[in-house]
Amino acid sequence: MYAIRAKKSKKWVYGTDYRYPRPHQRTSKNEALLYSILSLAELDFKKRRCSNKLYEIVPVKLEEIPEKRYHNSIRLK
């Protein structure tokens, strides 16, 4: 899998704001757009008009984290 990341801040791109003449990338430490194929990531990188100086496409690994159950005391009938 692949994701687009800001080089300087290491934050992930999760969207693009097209309200400006030059689109602004929305970034976050907790959210990211994921691509299963590198060519799709490259296509979206160009579509979003990401700067090669500011952003990069990086390989990522998606892992499931075991969920803690906080609602054990609540029983649904």
Side-chain angles (χ1 to χ4, degrees), residues 43-55:
L43 183 66
D44 204 35
F45 190 90
K46 290 177 184 177
K47 177 187 154 209
R48 293 175 183 281
R49 296 171 61 188
C50 295
S51 167
N52 287 328
K53 293 179 183 179
L54 302 175
Y55 299 94

Side-chain angles (χ1 to χ4, degrees), residues 9 20-21 26 32-33 39 45-46 51 59 62-63 66 69 75:
S9 68
Y20 304 95
R26 307 289 302 209
L33 295 170
S39 59
F45 190 90
K46 290 177 184 177
S51 167
L62 181 64
E63 289 187 39
R69 297 187 182 223
R75 294 185 187 248

